[in-house]
């Protein structure tokens, strides 16, 4: 079957866009399921406002102001509820859905988070770490709260 020559560029363009979309989803560490108030995400000076459905990648910093809060779900099923006036770094997130292996490191600089671990916390709890300016928490449970004053 022959395709008209006018269709070929359109099909190639669609294939490239689909491939880029799949790669972007694989690079995404997690998705914001709920966002209220002012919440930003990014690295360095490249911060952008967040809306529900927005993504986060490894090395991103999430910040909320006094009106802001968010619920972030990582690809392994970990859920992180981020309270007002909070700054959190997703220091490391690597997860292979096939082998269920990986690493998760979160740094809470200020504020409050509630974290319910996903597959990494259940399968490899030693590979899940939460650090604060004063301590490091090794995960032994699956649901906990961290508050940095």
């Amino acid at each position: 079957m022959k395709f008209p020559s006018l269709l070929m560029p359109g099909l190639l363009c669609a294939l490239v866009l689909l491939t880029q979309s799949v790669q972007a989803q694989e690079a995404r560490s997690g998705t914001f399921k709920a966002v209220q108030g002012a919440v930003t995400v990014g690295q360095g000076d490249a911060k952008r406002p967040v809306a529900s459905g927005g993504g986060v990648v490894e090395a991103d910093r999430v910040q909320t102001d006094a009106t802001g809060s968010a619920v972030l779900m990582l690809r392994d099923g970990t859920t992180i509820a981020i309270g007002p006036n909070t700054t959190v770094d997703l220091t490391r997130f690597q997860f292979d859905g096939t082998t269920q292996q990986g690493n998760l490191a979160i740094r809470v600089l200020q504020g409050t988070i509630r974290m319910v671990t996903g597959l990494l916390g259940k399968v490899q709890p030693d590979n899940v770490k939460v650090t604060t300016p004063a301590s490091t928490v090794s995960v032994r449970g699956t649901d906990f709260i961290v508050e940095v004053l």
Side-chain angles (χ1 to χ4, degrees):
M1 179 171 153
K2 281 187 140 182
F3 286 106
S5 60
L6 293 175
L7 287 179
M8 288 306 282
L11 289 174
L12 288 173
C13 183
L15 182 61
V16 168
L17 290 174
L18 179 62
T19 302
Q20 289 175 340
S21 175
V22 168
Q23 289 171 341
Q25 287 294 331
E26 289 175 0
R28 182 183 275 205
S29 297
T31 302
F32 287 95
K33 295 299 182 182
V35 176
Q36 282 190 311
V39 180
T40 60
V41 67
Q43 299 172 20
D45 292 334
K47 299 241 189 308
R48 64 192 182 282
V50 174
S52 293
V56 64
V57 297
E58 184 178 58
D60 268 351
R61 174 171 283 180
V62 179
Q63 288 184 286
T64 62
D65 71 2
T67 67
S69 63
V71 176
L72 175 63
M73 180 170 282
L74 301 179
R75 284 193 349 252
D76 76 321
T78 294
T79 302
I80 304 169
I82 304 166
N85 292 320
T86 299
T87 302
V88 178
D89 289 341
L90 181 59
T91 308
R92 184 177 344 120
F93 182 77
Q94 299 163 346
F95 178 68
D96 183 326
T98 304
T99 64
Q100 299 182 350
Q101 303 292 304
N103 294 286
L104 170 59
I106 304 273
R107 182 171 48 186
V108 183
L109 300 168
Q110 72 177 25
T112 305
I113 68 164
R114 177 178 182 199
M115 187 166 155
V116 179
T117 61
L119 288 173
L120 286 175
K122 292 172 181 66
V123 176
Q124 294 183 291
D126 291 340
N127 289 358
V128 178
K129 303 280 187 226
V130 177
T131 59
T132 69
S135 64
T136 299
V137 177
S138 293
V139 174
R140 295 290 176 248
T142 57
D143 185 349
F144 56 94
I145 297 172
V146 176
E147 184 172 11
V148 179
L149 303 175

